[in-house]
């Protein structure tokens, strides 16, 4: 959610329980403006809040200004992630790597709310064969800040959503904001195929020649939510008298996307415990 329209955007998803207190909204509105100025970001967005046992992590993302040879900024790249424990002071997180994501998947349970907290994962392996075989244990320390980096990246890859046509891909492969995006119609907004994963880590599913005939290469370069497995991962419904469509992820409970049909207003926010719902296939 963009910092400039934070209050209005939060109202559109308030029906899902993703609300912040008056004090938190006021502090975020002021601190995000200062972040925009101090870090010289082109745009600042509130990504969400990960609820911990002792404290909460407030997450924001800043988009860098375009380079000297670029007319417009490249989307999906040049985005920095920051976190705060009090909605005022922000710390920059390093980029997520495959190694960090792998370590993140080893930790189970709730976040503590302390970046310096260390989890201990005990790795067991059998050494030797036959009667001489024995179990060797190796303790791997994992800092909560590392887990936070990996969790944010996983949620971004698997649950970040944009409406079809909001971004375009240029002939040279750059991804830009579509300034001419008119918004989805009410009929289009009812279909799950009108929404895409906002990540370049997923390749679009291969389609038949008949299906390809209806595709536009410049806007259909991301993977549609209709191909997500298992079926039923997303809950779609209209609220406020069909004036806003809301998508909820059942895989990452707490991720909510909104879009106002016939307008460019769209965004998403995550408010949850940072735990993946691995029981989803058995719940559907």
């Amino acid at each position: 959610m963009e910092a400039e329209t934070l209050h209005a955007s939060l109202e559109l998803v308030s029906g899902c329980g993703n609300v912040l207190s008056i004090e938190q909204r006021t502090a975020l509105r002021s601190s995000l403006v200062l972040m925009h100025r101090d870090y010289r970001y082109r745009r600042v967005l509130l990504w969400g809040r990960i609820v911990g046992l002792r404290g909460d992590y407030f997450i924001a993302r800043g988009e860098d200004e375009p380079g000297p040879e670029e007319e417009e900024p490249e989307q999906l790249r040049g985005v920095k992630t920051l976190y705060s424990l009090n909605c005022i002071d922000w710390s920059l997180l390093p980029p997520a790597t495959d190694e960090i994501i792998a370590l993140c998947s080893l930790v189970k349970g709730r976040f503590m709310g302390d970046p310096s907290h260390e989890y201990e994962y005990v790795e067991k392996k059998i050494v030797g064969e036959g009667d001489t075989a024995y179990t060797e244990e190796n303790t791997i320390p994992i800092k909560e800040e590392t887990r936070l980096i990996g969790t944010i990246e996983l949620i971004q890859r698997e649950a970040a959503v944009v409406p079809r046509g909001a971004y375009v891909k240029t002939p040279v492969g750059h991804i830009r904001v579509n300034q001419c995006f008119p918004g989805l119609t009410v009929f289009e907004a009812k279909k799950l195929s009108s929404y895409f994963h906002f990540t370049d880590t997923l390749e679009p599913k291969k389609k038949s020649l008949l299906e390809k005939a209806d595709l536009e290469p410049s806007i259909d370069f991301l993977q549609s939510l209709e191909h997500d497995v298992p079926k039923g991962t997303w809950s779609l419904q209209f609220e406020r008298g069909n004036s806003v469509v809301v998508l909820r992820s059942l895989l990452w409970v707490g991720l909510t996307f909104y879009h106002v049909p016939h307008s460019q207003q769209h965004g998403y926010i995550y408010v949850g415990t940072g735990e993946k719902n691995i029981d989803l296939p058995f719940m559907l």
Side-chain angles (χ1 to χ4, degrees), residues 98-198:
D98 293 337
E99 181 182 359
I100 289 178
I101 295 174
L103 288 174
C104 166
S105 63
L106 299 178
V107 183
K108 307 298 180 184
R110 295 281 301 276
F111 278 82
M112 300 302 296
D114 179 8
S116 62
H117 177 77
E118 278 196 358
Y119 302 91
E120 291 186 352
Y121 174 77
V122 179
E123 183 182 42
K124 298 181 179 180
K125 63 179 179 179
I126 298 177
V127 179
E129 297 180 355
D131 297 335
T132 60
Y134 63 94
T135 302
E136 185 179 86
E137 295 185 353
N138 181 31
T139 302
I140 304 175
I142 304 172
K143 292 189 65 174
E144 182 157 283
E145 188 177 61
T146 301
R147 183 190 179 191
L148 180 66
I149 297 169
T151 300
I152 294 173
E153 180 64 19
L154 278 176
I155 297 175
Q156 184 68 22
R157 290 182 181 183
E158 300 180 2
V161 181
V162 293
R164 180 178 183 267
Y167 294 85
V168 295
K169 191 171 186 178
T170 65
V172 294
H174 294 164
I175 300 172
R176 311 292 191 198
V177 175
N178 185 4
Q179 302 295 343
C180 299
F181 176 56
L184 300 176
T185 64
V186 174
F187 176 76
E188 293 172 335
K190 294 179 180 179
K191 300 185 295 183
L192 204 57
S193 58
S194 298
Y195 306 96
F196 293 153
H197 285 282
F198 193 47

